[in-house]
Amino acid sequence: MMENGGYQGQYGDDGGYMEQEEEWEREGLLDPAWEKQQKKTFTAWCNSHLRKAGTAIENIEDDFRNGLKLMLLLEVISGETLPKPDRGKMRFHKIANVNKALDFIASKGVKLVSIGAEEIVDGNLKMTLGMIWTIILRFAIQDISVEEMTAKEGLLLWCQRKTAPYKNVNVQNFHLSFKDGLAFCALIHRHRPDLIDYSKLSKDNPLENLNTAFDVAEKYLDIPRMLDPDDLINTPKPDERAIMTYVSCYYHAFQGAQQAETAANRICKVLKVNQENERLMEEYERLASDLLEWIRRTMPWLNSRQSDSTLAGVQKKLEEYRTYRRKHKPPRVEQKAKLETNFNTLQTKLRLSNRPAYMPTEGKVVSDITNSWKGLEHAEKAFEEWLLAETMRLERLEHLAQKFKHKADTHEDWTKGKEEMLQSQDYRNCKLNELKALKKKHEAFESDLAAHQDRVEQIAAIAQELNTLEYHDCASVNARCQRICDQWDRLGALTQRRRQGLDEAERILEKIDLLHLEFAKRAAPFNNWLDGAREDLVDMFIVHTMEEIQGLIQAHDQFKATLGEADKEFNVIIGLVRDAEAIVKQEQVPGGLVNPYTTLTSDLISRKWSEVRALVPQRDQTLANELRKQQNNEMLRRQFAEKANAVGPWIERQMDAVTAIGMGISGSLEEQLHRLKEYEQAVYAYKPSIEELEKIHQAVQESMIFENRYTHYTMETLRVGWEQLLTSINRNINEVENQILTRDSKGITQEQLTEFRSSFNHFDKNRTGRLAPEEFKSCLVSLGYSIGKDKQGDMDFQRILAVVDPNASGYVQFDAFLDFMTRESTDTDTAEQVIDSFRILASDKPYILPDELRRELPPDQAEYCIQRMPPYKGPNAIPGALDYMSFSTALYGESDL
């Protein structure tokens, strides 16, 4: 950088603008002929770029005064966006805009001295030309370098080499050497011999030579006229800045053609990687969509809680669920493992090709699939629990429904004829003894009626419980219960009415047959006890444990202990009948054998007593059968527990071993992969044990066994453990394969990889497979990575964290750590390299056309670009123009395209 101003660097001392008036004179900026040439050339150069934005300038000293077109010019030639200009027309608005342009130039490493915004706003031609020359140097000439020479020397050497074979051309400078026009013609002929016939040119016709070169350049090379042939010929020493500016346009025009092939090759390489990655992404999307769709279709079935409310219907659903677990779900477990494996492989390839991490479409990321899978497993558990609970509920309902029917049948048998009997007026025509008998009979009936109150209440209670448990045929149960209750109310009312009638007639009829009355009194409760005993002996029951059946057996034994007292009561009752028969026979009482107080007879009591004694051994047999069933259930519990207590620890041991291998504690990656595959074979070989356990579990469920005190393992926990073991093996195999892929593609040695793994494991104290930020920093330091303890060191570390933990999860996985340690020293493509390659194919335009892509790239890759590049919306866009900058940055995840 020169001390007094202007721009110096690759161009050298010839590029400076001096503050002193004498220096301006010496440099030629005050020479009228040079000033005219510069003004024309610089104006044409600016317009060659401004036309891309659809505008132009006419007077270079006037059209840049408000700073708007100056800022636009810088945006076009740099491809960057400047701050928003001030739109006011006051002088301070113009100065602010020019200062924004000058600040942008300074930000590119150019030190501007003696060029101020006020001079540009005031239309100072010399300062304006000096500023434009600075811009030309920075953006058109600075980067020209041949054999490490400065920009001016490099451009001169390039001209000398290209024109060396041509006679009458000897390029030694940028003023006299180009004056006769042959040097311009030679540069064109060297690169495009089809445009000029050099053999017909003569050194004696400089005006014709210059016009020929300038016309051809403007028509075929898109280089506008920047020089006036008459000015060059009539000026003893043409202005070299004007000529350098014009010649630099030739350099860029022809240099692009030489770079096109290199650029095309780079683009092809990048696109090939991207096409393969997109194929893997599409495969992931397909597998994810299929798995998520299967889960979506399955969830309504698992979440359904509808049944036909019958035990057979629920048992059918339970069998369907077992079929689903045995046949339908295992392939989906394998599909999920394959999906995760493919996703990890894709991410590894993206890292190796310096591409951004793949983000699946919304709802299909690995966490979404994991959450959906967890939801599926929760739904499975809830569905199985519901099925078992529903089975128990319906079994209970069936038992209650049978009990309701039995009690209702018994009650309705008892009530048959009762209403007709209570409505009878027979006592009106009775003798005294008959009336007394009728009254005693009615008292016995009232006693019997009161005894039946409990049965009616039991029937109503059972009906209420059936309603509470939502029995499927509640309507008929409720209707029958209502009929019984209504009839019971009628019986009560009729009983009261008949008693009133008997009391009315009691004044006339007093004598009562005490013997028949005693029989009725004792026979009625005994008969009721017999009915209750019969009900208890035929009562159905449901038990699930040994304790419950043993409790029933104990209760039955207690009942049998009461049979002795019952037998005594039976003999007393039968004795009353025999006594009555003896008295009737002895006293010859007319109709005395008919007991007017009860419908019970000794024959009925004897028959029911015989039935009760016959039911006792039958009950013994039923309880014995149930005891054997519970003993068999106990055996099934022990069988399941014995197998589960072996399978559970085996799965846990395998899981621990796989986790240890996954930590890479010992052995090469190939050895780890070999051991993991051995474990995989061993796990699949162990599968028959799981299947055998499933069979035992099915037998346990079919036997309605709902608890097992001999083991803490359940079939559900073992299934989950088995699936987690398979998933862990597959995931670790995939991770090791990815590490091998990383190691081989990055060219790192096994010793380096071992060192990386050893350092990582040293700081991974809890063996979680990940490091916290401070652990990660310590790990880097242990490997010799320098991280300062000052503010700059913290900033450097935060940049590293942003690379290895882009999602800010707070942890660093080993794959990301390994990728960071290896990719630092590798040569990878960047978005800037791809943009530069496309810019070469586009002849330095900010956009590219489909025909240019088809001309430079293979057909499939050309169409790939055309289909994915967005339309170019910048200034001076033409129909069909494509935005290669956004496309390139999108390849590397640097835009939202």
Side-chain angles (χ1 to χ4, degrees), residues 1 11 27-28 69 80-81 122 207 353 462 465 592 699 822 826 849:
M1 191 67 65
Y11 179 67
E27 288 293 353
K69 289 189 177 180
E80 299 179 27
T81 302
D122 291 337
L207 184 61
S353 59
I462 295 172
E465 188 172 1
T822 56
T826 59
L849 298 175

Side-chain angles (χ1 to χ4, degrees), residues 184-197:
F184 289 111
C185 292
L187 287 174
I188 295 174
H189 185 270
R190 179 65 182 270
H191 294 93
R192 293 291 302 274
D194 57 309
L195 299 180
I196 292 180
D197 188 354

